[in-house]
């Protein structure tokens, strides 16, 4: 009861006029690009695609687009999705290699195939066939992060129940005889995570949502996070609203927080409460998880919530509507 009182006080809902765009983190240029797309007559899908693409091109804070989060082999791979809340179509790519514009490829999956999700080298081949240019996603910065990690005996990493001891040594690893529950704290340096998640709501209540990220630093090759998974990274449904998540995707994707938040809004919860309840569901099992959710409904109400943990007590997000030029930086206290 007390927790909910705190949640209600911290997560006061916001209200904007429609159309409305909200996105995770203080990614101002992405917010402005999405808003301009709507002003120029684009639809909600265009706004989400253009906003996320801006983050990919500018690398936002290094956690979106090329040159970030090298995996155990030093390669940057991208995850992205886009969802049309009017038709319930989704396009997504995961473990995408050698193509910078992941959200663009995700949209091509949605609009130029009957599939929902393409992965890995095959997603790259599809992208190339659709006219996207293959490029090396490695930069001096990502190469430097990788070489420092190698020099530091590959610490930290995401391995467990393998030999040699992954908390001390690099691989190659082999499985131990019997897997045991992990006693190592999860690798959740909040500075090695971030995703752009964006929701656009049109004047007539049309909704789209999307995400783009380069995932998690030092991930095991092939790792896919929550961002390209519908209902986990983002979700949109014209009859309720949209939501998008950021944080420790390996944990968050187990709870489909974006789907849960949209369903709660459908059941009448205001966006702040819906976001907070989605966070609470995860918190129950992983009290220390790193994550945040943004939510918007089709009447222009919006909100966000995050899980309080050491080093993360406040979450920033952007709001763009006709009264906010340039887009407004908002924040919410984590609980
Ligand atoms: N959710 C993303 C992932 O785990 C990263 C993040 O948002 O921080 O891939």
């Amino acid at each position: 009861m007390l927790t909910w009182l705190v949640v209600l006080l911290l997560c006061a809902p916001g209200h904007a006029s429609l159309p409305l765009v909200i996105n995770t983190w203080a990614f101002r240029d992405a917010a402005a690009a999405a808003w301009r797309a709507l002003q120029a007559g684009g639809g909600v899908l265009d706004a989400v695609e253009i906003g996320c693409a801006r983050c990919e091109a500018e690398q936002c804070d290094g956690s979106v687009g090329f040159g970030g989060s090298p995996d155990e082999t030093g390669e940057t791979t991208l995850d992205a999705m886009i969802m049309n809340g009017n038709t319930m179509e989704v396009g997504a790519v995961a473990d995408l290699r050698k193509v910078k514009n992941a959200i663009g490829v995700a949209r091509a999956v949605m609009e130029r195939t009957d599939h929902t999700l393409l992965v890995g080298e095959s997603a790259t081949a599809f992208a190339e066939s659709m006219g996207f240019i293959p490029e090396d996603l490695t930069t001096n910065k990502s190469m430097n992060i990788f070489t420092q990690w190698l020099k530091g005996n590959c610490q930290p990493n995401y391995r467990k129940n393998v030999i040699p001891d992954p908390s001390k040594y690099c691989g190659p690893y082999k499985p131990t005889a019997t897997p045991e529950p992990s006693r190592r704290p999860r690798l959740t340096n909040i500075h090695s995570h971030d995703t752009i998640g964006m929701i656009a709501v049109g004047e007539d209540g049309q909704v789209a949502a999307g995400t783009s990220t380069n995932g998690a630093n030092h991930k095991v090759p092939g790792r896919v996070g929550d961002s390209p998974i519908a209902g986990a990274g983002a979700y949109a449904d014209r009859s309720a609203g949209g939501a998008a998540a950021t944080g420790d995707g390996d944990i968050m994707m187990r709870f489909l927080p974006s789907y849960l938040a949209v369903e709660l809004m459908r059941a009448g919860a205001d966006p702040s409460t819906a976001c907070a309840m989605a966070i609470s569901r995860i918190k129950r099992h992983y009290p220390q998880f790193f994550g945040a959710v943004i939510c918007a409904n089709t009447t222009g109400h919006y909100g966000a919530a995050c899980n309080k943990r050491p080093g993360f007590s406040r979450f920033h997000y952007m709001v763009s509507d006709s009264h906010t030029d340039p887009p407004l930086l908002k924040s919410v206290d984590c609980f």
Side-chain angles (χ1 to χ4, degrees):
M1 184 65 187
L2 188 62
T3 313
W4 279 106
L5 194 60
V6 173
V7 167
L8 287 174
L9 288 173
L10 292 179
C11 307
H15 185 239
S17 59
L18 294 178
L20 159 73
V21 179
I22 71 170
N23 64 267
T24 54
W25 306 107
F27 297 151
R28 294 168 192 274
D29 291 354
W35 181 250
R36 275 198 304 275
L38 282 183
Q39 295 304 100
V44 285
L45 283 171
D46 302 318
V48 169
E49 182 188 355
I50 290 167
C52 292
R54 173 59 68 95
C55 231
E56 291 170 345
E58 291 183 351
Q59 303 165 290
C60 273
D61 61 0
S63 56
V64 181
F66 67 103
S69 303
D71 68 12
E72 284 183 346
T73 68
E75 185 170 2
T76 294
T77 61
L78 307 179
D79 294 344
M81 69 156 279
I82 191 161
M83 179 160 189
N84 182 340
N86 305 304
T87 61
M88 305 311 281
E89 291 170 298
V90 174
V93 284
D95 190 29
L96 177 71
R97 289 147 193 266
K98 301 187 192 75
V99 180
K100 287 183 175 173
N101 181 204
I103 188 90
V105 184
R107 187 162 180 182
V109 171
M110 183 172 77
E111 291 182 342
R112 301 183 189 282
T113 80
D114 285 328
H115 297 309
T116 294
L117 172 63
L118 295 183
V119 304
E121 296 285 1
S122 303
T124 309
F126 166 76
E128 279 188 61
S129 73
M130 292 293 112
F132 292 85
I133 314 285
E135 288 171 89
D136 188 359
L137 303 189
T138 305
T139 59
N140 289 342
K141 191 176 166 202
S142 65
M143 189 42 72
N144 192 36
I145 295 171
F146 174 59
T147 50
Q148 290 304 318
W149 179 76
L150 280 182
K151 276 189 204 152
N153 287 330
C154 307
Q155 302 302 312
N157 62 62
Y158 287 93
R159 303 279 183 163
K160 63 183 185 189
N161 293 313
V162 290
I163 43 176
D165 182 348
S167 70
K168 295 195 178 82
Y169 306 108
C170 294
Y173 302 106
K174 288 195 163 41
T176 51
T178 324
E180 285 170 12
S182 178
R183 267 173 248 106
R184 294 175 68 193
R186 273 190 60 76
L187 195 178
T188 49
N189 173 1
I190 66 162
H191 304 295
S192 73
H193 276 273
D194 278 359
T195 292
I196 181 154
M198 185 173 269
I199 306 160
V201 186
E203 231 157 356
D204 50 2
Q206 300 197 331
V207 188
T211 60
S212 184
T213 185
N214 52 34
N217 258 325
H218 321 306
K219 59 194 173 190
V220 177
R223 180 267 189 187
V224 170
D226 57 332
S227 305
I229 308 299
Y235 201 70
D237 183 338
R238 186 196 173 125
S239 63
T246 179
D248 183 350
D250 292 303
I251 297 296
M252 294 180 82
M253 70 196 298
R254 301 171 191 173
F255 298 88
L256 298 178
S258 297
Y259 176 76
L260 176 59
V262 170
E263 287 310 303
L264 289 166
M265 288 190 283
R266 187 198 308 286
D270 71 74
S272 298
T273 307
C275 277
M277 288 175 85
I279 291 287
S280 280
R281 179 71 59 88
I282 307 172
K283 202 178 165 85
R284 213 185 286 167
H285 299 268
Y286 297 95
Q288 291 287 310
F289 89 100
F290 164 57
V293 181
I294 56 170
C295 299
N297 68 18
T298 48
T299 55
H301 293 87
Y302 62 86
C306 48
N307 188 35
K308 191 171 181 175
R309 49 163 282 156
F312 187 55
S313 57
R314 208 167 170 75
F315 168 66
H316 290 86
Y317 62 105
M318 302 298 307
V319 176
S320 317
D321 76 350
S322 56
H323 304 298
T324 58
D325 191 15
L328 200 62
L329 178 66
K330 303 273 290 185
S331 66
V332 62
D333 284 321
C334 302
F335 69 95

